[in-house]
Amino acid sequence: MRVYEKRLDIERDVADLHKQNKSIGFVPTMGALHHGHLALVQKAIDQNQVVIVSIFVNPTQFNNSEDLVNYPRTLDSDVVLLSNLSKAIIVFAPKPEEIYGSKNNSLKYDFNGLEHEMEGRFRPGHFDGVGTVLKHLFTIVSPTKAYFGEKDFQQLQIVKKLVEIEKMSVKIIGCPIYREDSGLALSSRNKRLNKKQLQESPLIYKTLKQVKNDFGTKSVIDLIDWVSEQFKSNETLELEYFEIAKVSNLKSIKRKRKNTKYRAFIAVFAGEVRLIDNIALN
Ligand code: PAF
């Protein structure tokens, strides 16, 4: 396995790969890899001649410094997991200075309003940080295709907008949410859940599935009230937001219209750990 820390080293490999006309599949991650990440990497292996995985806990996308400090960092075991998939994967695990130089500054993006909805409302500056790091990483890795999970559906839509704004040629591929048997969406943050929180957190997906089931017959307002009740009676999970939004612009709705695609989005706190999930409704 090649594991690079230095930008210049990976850029040299990437230049060689381009000379050989090899397609490059790229999976950007913040490490603490789980089966959801590995499914993205497997898809990248299936669709490309070479696969690069970045492992970088990006400081500029954290609006909460405690969350940044507590984010799990497990580079050695991540590399083992990746090498079990394929020894040919190239890993890029830079230090912040390699990406940002001496100051961790974000660029300011206008993602056509997508950045102000849901996560954007609760995590100011988050999508500027995501856009900035991906602009840097796409420039370094120069991938043919890049892979993102639909668990962060808003991020996926924003990344598609980013490549449009930055006029980058990478094709963005969205991949389905990977879940535990309990229904809990896989996330690196799940590692921080205690036993009780793990026991209770399947309520999140159970609620989303019920919303999907009732979407045809119940009003949006009734569904929002019902979800709020589910979490009021739970002592372990605290609802931060639940919204039903249009897929096209992620604007939340109070009333559904014909011929429009909708998704339900949820964010919940289990103690200090913030969990998000979403589901396609139609
Ligand atoms: O989804 C993530 O893990 C991060 O937001 C990403 C895309 C790797 C950027 O840091």
Side-chain angles (χ1 to χ4, degrees):
M1 287 276 288
R2 277 169 286 177
V3 182
Y4 293 125
E5 203 180 284
K6 298 281 173 216
R7 176 181 187 136
L8 284 177
D9 290 336
I10 190 154
E11 280 175 341
R12 201 185 43 235
D13 264 23
V14 166
D16 279 350
L17 292 168
H18 280 299
K19 266 190 218 139
Q20 298 166 48
N21 270 325
K22 297 252 167 129
S23 59
I24 300 177
F26 178 43
V27 184
T29 81
M30 298 207 297
L33 300 183
H34 50 65
H35 286 291
H37 293 114
L38 299 182
L40 300 182
V41 176
Q42 188 56 56
K43 194 158 193 172
I45 292 173
D46 295 343
Q47 297 187 345
N48 300 274
Q49 290 163 299
V50 179
V51 171
I52 299 179
V53 176
S54 64
I55 296 180
F56 178 60
V57 181
N58 172 34
T60 64
Q61 71 187 75
F62 286 80
N63 56 310
N64 174 338
S65 52
E66 239 173 79
D67 196 21
L68 172 61
V69 171
N70 289 327
Y71 202 87
R73 288 159 173 87
T74 55
L75 181 60
D76 291 345
S77 53
D78 290 345
V79 169
V80 171
L81 285 173
L82 291 171
S83 70
N84 289 342
L85 280 188
S86 160
K87 302 248 178 313
I89 293 169
I90 300 172
V91 176
F92 181 43
K95 296 265 183 296
E97 310 81 78
E98 285 296 310
I99 301 291
Y100 289 109
S102 58
K103 276 204 178 128
N104 293 339
N105 282 341
S106 280
L107 303 167
K108 295 276 167 266
Y109 280 106
D110 173 354
F111 293 116
N112 214 5
L114 292 175
E115 74 278 22
H116 300 311
E117 306 302 329
M118 297 177 291
E119 291 299 285
R121 211 168 305 130
F122 291 92
R123 303 181 69 188
H126 170 68
F127 288 118
D128 281 335
V130 171
T132 305
V133 77
L134 289 175
K135 182 191 170 182
H136 290 309
L137 290 170
F138 287 162
T139 305
I140 295 167
V141 171
S142 181
T144 320
K145 293 180 180 160
Y147 297 79
F148 294 85
E150 285 185 347
K151 182 175 80 66
D152 299 294
F153 191 83
Q154 186 174 8
Q155 168 173 279
L156 172 63
Q157 302 301 79
I158 282 180
V159 177
K160 288 180 182 164
K161 198 85 206 150
L162 172 78
V163 301
E164 215 178 285
I165 294 169
E166 297 287 0
K167 299 187 176 52
M168 293 177 138
S169 60
V170 50
K171 183 159 190 243
I172 304 302
I173 315 278
C175 303
I177 300 175
Y178 209 93
R179 298 182 181 281
E180 305 276 8
D181 290 344
S182 68
L184 176 65
L186 289 198
S187 161
S188 305
R189 289 190 167 85
N190 296 355
K191 290 197 166 87
R192 292 174 54 205
L193 295 173
N194 65 29
K195 203 168 158 208
K196 175 82 178 144
Q197 292 163 340
L198 262 179
Q199 263 166 12
E200 296 295 330
S201 49
L203 175 66
I204 300 169
Y205 184 50
K206 197 170 154 225
T207 305
L208 287 180
K209 277 197 304 188
Q210 192 60 47
V211 167
K212 184 181 174 95
N213 196 52
D214 294 345
F215 187 66
T217 52
K218 292 202 173 138
S219 74
V220 173
I221 303 283
D222 283 351
L223 288 171
I224 293 173
D225 287 347
W226 178 78
V227 171
S228 158
E229 286 306 315
Q230 300 313 297
F231 286 90
K232 260 188 209 143
S233 53
N234 186 295
E235 284 175 4
T236 310
L237 304 174
E238 192 192 330
L239 182 66
E240 185 176 45
Y241 67 76
F242 169 77
E243 293 188 13
I244 293 178
K246 276 200 233 175
V247 168
S248 58
N249 59 10
L250 301 184
K251 292 226 174 297
S252 85
I253 57 149
K254 293 275 178 284
R255 197 171 295 168
K256 48 198 167 193
R257 299 198 187 287
K258 281 188 189 146
N259 303 323
T260 310
K261 289 264 175 239
Y262 297 107
R263 247 177 138 94
F265 295 85
I266 193 165
V268 167
F269 275 100
E272 298 291 303
V273 186
R274 192 168 177 280
L275 302 169
I276 61 170
D277 202 347
N278 67 86
I279 196 166
L281 295 178
N282 56 357

